[in-house]
Amino acid sequence: PEILTGAYRTYKPNILSQYLLDVCRDFGHFYHEHKVLDENQNVAMARMALVQCTEKVIVAGLKVLGVEAPDFM
């Protein structure tokens, strides 16, 4: 919420854009380093939750910017 509020108050949508780029970069590093569907069920469930939350953040941020997110990649 702080990122969105800051972008709104300062009329700088690039703040939100940069935040989304950072989220994507950080998730890409995570995904490269860790198997999401791990043999340990608890780890796999936690990582899937992270994937789903990351997706929600990206989709919501893109929607605010007026960009339609792809259904899949």
Side-chain angles (χ1 to χ4, degrees):
E2 298 87 22
I3 298 296
L4 187 56
T5 301
Y8 175 77
R9 286 188 179 157
T10 60
Y11 299 101
K12 293 182 179 179
N14 65 301
I15 293 173
L16 178 56
S17 299
Q18 186 59 54
Y19 173 75
L20 293 175
L21 286 171
D22 292 344
V23 169
C24 290
R25 183 198 64 234
D26 292 344
F27 180 77
H29 288 280
F30 164 79
Y31 192 79
H32 179 72
E33 295 293 324
H34 304 284
K35 289 174 64 175
V36 173
L37 299 178
D38 194 81
E39 292 177 12
N40 181 320
Q41 186 177 7
N42 291 334
V43 171
M45 288 175 58
R47 290 179 179 169
M48 279 304 299
L50 178 62
V51 169
Q52 292 169 342
C53 290
T54 302
E55 177 188 23
K56 287 180 182 182
V57 167
I58 294 169
V59 169
L62 289 174
K63 186 175 181 178
V64 168
L65 293 170
V67 177
E68 187 174 335
D71 292 329
F72 60 92
M73 291 190 72

